[in-house]
Amino acid sequence: SGNPLGLLIEEARTNVLTRSNELLTAPWNGDAEIVASSIPSIAGGQCFKISSNGGAADYWIQSGVASNGQRKSIWARTVSGTGTAHILGHNSVSATLVTLTEEWQRFSLNVGAGEAGGTHIYAVDFRGSGTLSEILVFGAQLETGAFPTSYIPTSGSTVTRAADIASLPVERFAYNQAQGSVVVSVSEYSAVSSPNAAILTLGEDVLSGNWQLLYVTSTKNTVVFNSRGYSATQANLTNTANNLNVPFKSGASWARNNYNLTVNGNTVVVDTVGTGLAAVTKLVLGNFASNPAFLNGHIKSIQYYPKRLSNTELQLLT
């Protein structure tokens, strides 16, 4: 529709399915019927029509590729109308029965030990209680993680997408090395695996460098501002928020021997001990580039001020 939806920043992932959209080629197989379709996929390229033939193995599958802890996904829609079918897993698994329409949808399913046929990727299983006898599919993916990331095409071998890095040199926004402040509006969607789920990093990409780091912890109820300069930690402040499943605002400010943090206008926590300021070179959004510490959430806005805001100002802005 032309609306600016923002910037997607994703961690590194590998699609371990070697033929993600070559469904006419082994190791894809089954007793259902499959042909290339002239209807374009969600990406505008090839998709496939899979039809039931009423056989005992009335599915299209890639066998024995999945393992516990992975997430499988595929795009699917009806040829026409609306109906139900078992997507991604065995027909005995209730979670695989989904409603399809003429709009492309991406379906995903966790691979678990309790799932019948859990090591297999079923593009579709027409057996069981589904109402459809034909569907369109595109872009299968199998990756390690609790949620699917954007589609990674493969053609004969696995493919790894490198982590996305969004950064901006400080000279592009007149960064003040002597003092500064940031106010952010953020939502975190689920617990993180690292205690440093970065909202933003002012500074270097690696933990051994100089940086000002604002992040949320894996407990989902604490925001931390950590300043590191000249290879020594200058400040490490924490402030508790009520519930990080909903949007929250946080503000941090810094100057020599004066570091401050607040969340949702709460009392500002202060650290006045330090020996210097981080020599910052760039702003990095959503992660540490060289450290797997991604925010699983949404950054709505970031405001940077080239001065140290007062504690009252930080509270009013958050």
Side-chain angles (χ1 to χ4, degrees), residues 165-171 173 175 182 184 199-205 212 280-287 302-304:
I165 306 300
S167 65
L168 183 68
V170 294
E171 57 266 24
F173 59 100
Y175 184 78
V182 292
V184 299
I199 299 171
L200 63 88
T201 309
L202 286 160
E204 301 299 326
D205 293 341
Q212 321 279 9
V280 170
T281 60
K282 57 187 167 182
L283 166 68
V284 182
L285 296 177
N287 76 303
I302 296 175
Q303 296 169 287
Y304 167 76

Side-chain angles (χ1 to χ4, degrees), residues 117-131:
T119 63
H120 309 317
I121 304 293
Y122 288 78
V124 62
D125 188 348
F126 287 113
R127 301 169 300 174
S129 55
T131 62

Side-chain angles (χ1 to χ4, degrees), residues 170 175-179 202-204 209-213 225-232 234 254-256 259 275-281:
V170 294
Y175 184 78
N176 183 357
Q177 295 285 355
Q179 58 181 288
L202 286 160
E204 301 299 326
N210 300 321
W211 34 259
Q212 321 279 9
L213 170 64
F225 176 66
N226 196 344
S227 177
R228 182 183 174 90
Y230 305 103
S231 299
Q234 309 305 309
W254 58 91
R256 184 181 178 89
Y259 302 88
T275 58
L277 291 169
V280 170
T281 60

Side-chain angles (χ1 to χ4, degrees), residues 264-306:
N264 292 335
N266 293 333
T267 301
V268 177
V269 292
V270 178
D271 191 333
T272 58
V273 177
T275 58
L277 291 169
V280 170
T281 60
K282 57 187 167 182
L283 166 68
V284 182
L285 296 177
N287 76 303
F288 269 128
S290 300
N291 190 56
F294 278 81
L295 173 73
N296 183 15
H298 175 233
I299 302 172
K300 181 179 180 181
S301 67
I302 296 175
Q303 296 169 287
Y304 167 76
Y305 301 84

Side-chain angles (χ1 to χ4, degrees), residues 14-266:
T14 299
N15 188 356
V16 300
L17 295 182
T18 57
R19 300 200 179 271
S20 63
N21 202 47
E22 299 175 357
L23 276 73
L24 296 175
T25 305
W28 290 99
N29 68 91
D31 198 36
E33 298 176 358
I34 181 169
V35 295
S37 173
S38 60
I39 297 175
S41 72
I42 189 69
Q46 185 68 64
C47 77
F48 299 88
K49 183 174 76 170
I50 307 176
S51 304
S52 169
N53 70 1
D58 198 9
Y59 50 71
W60 200 251
I61 189 173
Q62 190 170 148
S63 304
V65 291
S67 59
N68 289 348
Q70 293 179 317
R71 193 80 183 181
K72 46 190 175 182
S73 59
I74 198 168
W75 294 88
R77 54 157 286 185
T78 62
V79 177
S80 63
T82 298
T84 59
H86 290 275
I87 303 296
L88 290 174
H90 194 275
N91 70 85
S92 65
V93 181
S94 59
T96 69
L97 185 64
V98 298
T99 299
L100 287 79
T101 69
E102 293 178 31
E103 298 294 323
W104 284 105
Q105 300 176 71
R106 194 184 195 190
F107 299 96
S108 70
L109 188 66
N110 186 58
V111 179
E115 178 194 337
T119 63
H120 309 317
I121 304 293
Y122 288 78
V124 62
D125 188 348
F126 287 113
R127 301 169 300 174
S129 55
T131 62
L132 293 169
S133 60
E134 60 180 11
I135 66 165
L136 300 175
V137 296
F138 161 79
Q141 186 150 306
L142 177 65
E143 57 198 304
T144 298
F147 55 89
T149 60
S150 57
Y151 175 51
I152 306 170
T154 65
S155 183
S157 62
T158 64
V159 173
T160 299
R161 179 191 56 246
D164 295 324
I165 306 300
S167 65
L168 183 68
V170 294
E171 57 266 24
R172 295 288 299 274
F173 59 100
Y175 184 78
N176 183 357
Q177 295 285 355
Q179 58 181 288
S181 305
V182 292
V183 175
V184 299
S185 180
V186 181
S187 297
E188 190 199 6
Y189 298 144
S190 66
V192 295
S193 58
S194 166
N196 298 336
I199 299 171
L200 63 88
T201 309
L202 286 160
E204 301 299 326
D205 293 341
V206 293
L207 290 172
S208 60
N210 300 321
W211 34 259
Q212 321 279 9
L213 170 64
L214 189 66
Y215 66 91
V216 292
T217 70
S218 58
T219 58
K220 299 173 59 183
N221 64 358
T222 303
V223 178
V224 178
F225 176 66
N226 196 344
S227 177
R228 182 183 174 90
Y230 305 103
S231 299
T233 297
Q234 309 305 309
N236 193 349
L237 310 176
T238 62
N239 197 318
T240 300
N242 292 326
N243 183 358
L244 301 192
N245 287 300
V246 297
F248 70 95
K249 287 186 176 181
S250 180
S253 66
W254 58 91
R256 184 181 178 89
N257 300 338
N258 195 338
Y259 302 88
N260 309 272
L261 172 68
T262 185
V263 177
N264 292 335
N266 293 333

